[in-house]
């Protein structure tokens, strides 16, 4: 009798373990970034006509409103922008550079078990494979709750260092009427021309009803799937969740590109940004030229 009970218990626990291993989910996220700072910068620019400004704003709206798909299991996930085919969609070097620095492109693979991530990036015609450790976010549990998509969610906040290569963090410096005219022959650092926050306050909403340590982009570390993230400029909101879909997705890291750390990739991007800035200053634009 005891042998039979023991055998049944083994079968039950084995079935539970297998089910946990095979568990998979899919979440759809809508990402929106405020472009008001860039619109204000264009206002009053004599080189930008109203038609050009509207065209640029329309392009930036498309860049800053994206849809991403997160496929996840208990230990890993892949996060990728939903592919959209737009006939005749072309952009210049400036626009392509900005697009590569706004969270788009590539497949973001997270492994919360070994606390690492891998993302393939294409930048200026070259392919990179960024491999590094996941950020150690010190989440603070808040007392607020809300419902998102039918799931009970809890609020958590964290403070993280702002990325210097994420275009969404850039804010043009305000002109000081009392400042002395700048020396045109003096070379300045790109950082001197931009206001960039040192830190960013992250607000996240997670649901313990989906007990996975996952979320969009490189957000993770909460006792439940993160359904919304807000960093002050960008809001990433989950619009749909499917648990245990019939069609399973292979969750694995990309292997394409030159392997670099996040710092090495950031240094490469920042160097190219400065070169691009210097090239456009020679054209009389005084900064980045959007659209080519």
């Amino acid at each position: 009798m005891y042998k039979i009970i023991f055998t049944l218990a083994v079968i039950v626990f084995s079935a539970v373990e297998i089910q946990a291993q095979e568990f998979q989910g899919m979440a759809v996220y809508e990402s929106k970034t405020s472009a008001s700072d860039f619109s204000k910068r264009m206002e009053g620019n004599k080189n930008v006509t109203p038609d050009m400004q509207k065209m640029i704003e329309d392009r930036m709206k498309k860049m800053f409103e994206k849809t991403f798909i997160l496929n996840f299991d208990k230990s890993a996930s892949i996060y990728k922008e939903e592919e959209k085919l737009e006939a005749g969609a072309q952009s210049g070097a400036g626009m392509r550079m900005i697009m590569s620095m706004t969270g788009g492109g590539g497949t973001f693979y997270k492994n919360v078990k070994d606390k690492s991530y891998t993302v393939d990036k294409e930048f200026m015609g070259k392919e990179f494979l960024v491999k590094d450790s996941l950020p150690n976010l010190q989440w603070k549990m808040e007392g607020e709750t809300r419902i998102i998509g039918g799931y009970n969610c809890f609020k958590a906040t964290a403070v993280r260092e702002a990325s210097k290569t994420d275009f969404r963090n850039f804010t043009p410096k305000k002109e000081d009427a009392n400042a002395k005219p700048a020396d045109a022959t003096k070379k300045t650092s790109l950082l001197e021309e931009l206001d960039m926050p040192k830190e960013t306050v992250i607000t996240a909403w997670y649901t313990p009803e989906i007990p996975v340590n996952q979320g969009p982009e490189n957000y993770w570390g909460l006792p439940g799937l993160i359904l919304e993230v807000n960093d002050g400029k960008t809001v990433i909101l989950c619009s749909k969740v499917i648990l245990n879909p019939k069609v399973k997705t292979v969750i694995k890291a990309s292997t394409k590109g030159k392997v670099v750390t996040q710092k090495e990739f950031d240094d490469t991007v920042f160097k190219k940004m400065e070169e691009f800035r210097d090239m456009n200053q020679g054209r009389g634009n005084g900064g980045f030229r959007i659209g080519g």
Side-chain angles (χ1 to χ4, degrees):
M1 183 65 179
Y2 289 110
K3 187 175 181 180
I4 294 174
I5 294 175
F6 176 76
T7 303
L8 289 173
V10 170
I11 292 173
V12 170
F13 284 121
S14 298
V16 171
E17 184 178 357
I18 292 172
Q19 187 177 10
Q21 290 174 349
E22 294 179 348
F23 168 79
Q24 194 175 108
M26 186 271 284
V28 179
Y29 291 87
E30 308 296 335
S31 174
K32 291 186 179 182
T33 299
S34 171
S36 59
D37 291 329
F38 308 104
S39 298
K40 289 178 181 178
R41 184 182 184 183
M42 290 184 293
E43 292 177 1
N45 190 328
K46 296 178 181 179
N47 296 323
V48 179
T49 65
D51 289 341
M52 290 173 60
Q53 180 167 338
K54 186 178 185 307
M55 180 191 70
I56 293 171
E57 288 178 347
D58 288 343
R59 286 190 181 186
M60 297 191 84
K61 183 178 180 182
K62 289 181 180 179
M63 282 196 303
F64 290 159
E65 293 184 5
K66 301 178 180 182
T67 301
F68 293 86
I69 307 296
L70 178 73
N71 289 284
F72 59 89
D73 57 27
K74 288 287 186 179
S75 61
S77 68
I78 51 174
Y79 184 72
K80 188 175 183 179
E81 184 178 354
E82 183 181 54
E83 295 182 0
K84 294 180 181 179
L85 298 177
E86 296 184 22
Q90 295 182 351
S91 57
M95 188 65 71
R96 289 195 297 272
M97 175 177 277
I98 295 172
M99 290 176 70
S100 69
M101 296 185 290
T102 54
T107 300
F108 199 109
Y109 170 84
K110 288 199 301 289
N111 189 315
V112 297
K113 197 171 183 179
D114 60 22
K115 301 178 182 180
S116 67
Y117 69 89
T118 302
V119 57
D120 53 321
K121 285 279 189 180
E122 182 180 344
F123 182 71
M124 302 299 287
K126 296 182 179 180
E127 294 180 343
F128 295 89
L129 192 65
V130 182
K131 290 188 174 185
D132 219 314
S133 300
L134 284 168
N136 184 21
L137 297 172
Q138 300 296 319
W139 292 107
K140 177 185 177 184
M141 303 301 180
E142 309 288 352
E144 298 177 48
T145 62
R146 59 183 283 208
I147 295 177
I148 300 176
Y151 291 96
N152 292 305
C153 296
F154 295 83
K155 182 180 179 180
T157 58
V159 178
R160 66 182 300 177
E161 182 181 356
S163 171
K164 293 182 176 64
T165 55
D166 189 335
F167 192 82
R168 294 171 294 186
N169 290 328
F170 296 176
T171 303
K173 280 190 174 180
K174 296 180 181 179
E175 295 184 3
D176 185 355
N178 299 320
K180 294 181 180 180
D183 184 355
T185 63
K186 183 180 178 182
K187 186 169 182 175
T188 60
S189 167
L190 183 61
L191 284 175
E192 295 175 353
E193 300 177 8
L194 299 169
D195 278 329
M196 301 181 66
K198 293 182 179 179
E199 296 179 332
T200 302
V201 178
I202 309 298
T203 300
W205 294 88
Y206 69 95
T207 176
E209 295 174 16
I210 306 177
V212 293
N213 197 355
Q214 293 287 350
E217 291 190 1
N218 59 357
Y219 296 108
W220 71 292
L222 288 168
L225 180 65
I226 299 173
L227 296 186
E228 181 177 330
V229 177
N230 187 332
D231 68 0
K233 285 183 177 289
T234 301
V235 177
I236 306 174
L237 176 63
C238 181
S239 59
K240 182 180 181 180
V241 176
I242 298 177
L243 299 180
N244 289 313
K246 293 181 180 180
V247 179
K248 300 292 184 181
T249 300
V250 178
I251 299 177
K252 64 178 182 179
S254 176
T255 57
K256 185 173 63 175
K258 178 184 176 182
V259 177
V260 293
T261 65
Q262 187 66 59
K263 185 180 184 306
E264 289 171 338
F265 179 74
D266 289 349
D267 289 344
T268 299
V269 171
F270 201 78
K271 182 179 178 181
K272 286 296 180 182
M273 285 166 58
E274 292 209 312
E275 291 177 1
F276 194 75
R277 182 275 314 264
D278 293 342
M279 178 182 67
N280 278 274
Q281 281 182 335
R283 296 177 182 178
N285 290 334
F288 288 108
R289 187 164 72 93
I290 308 297

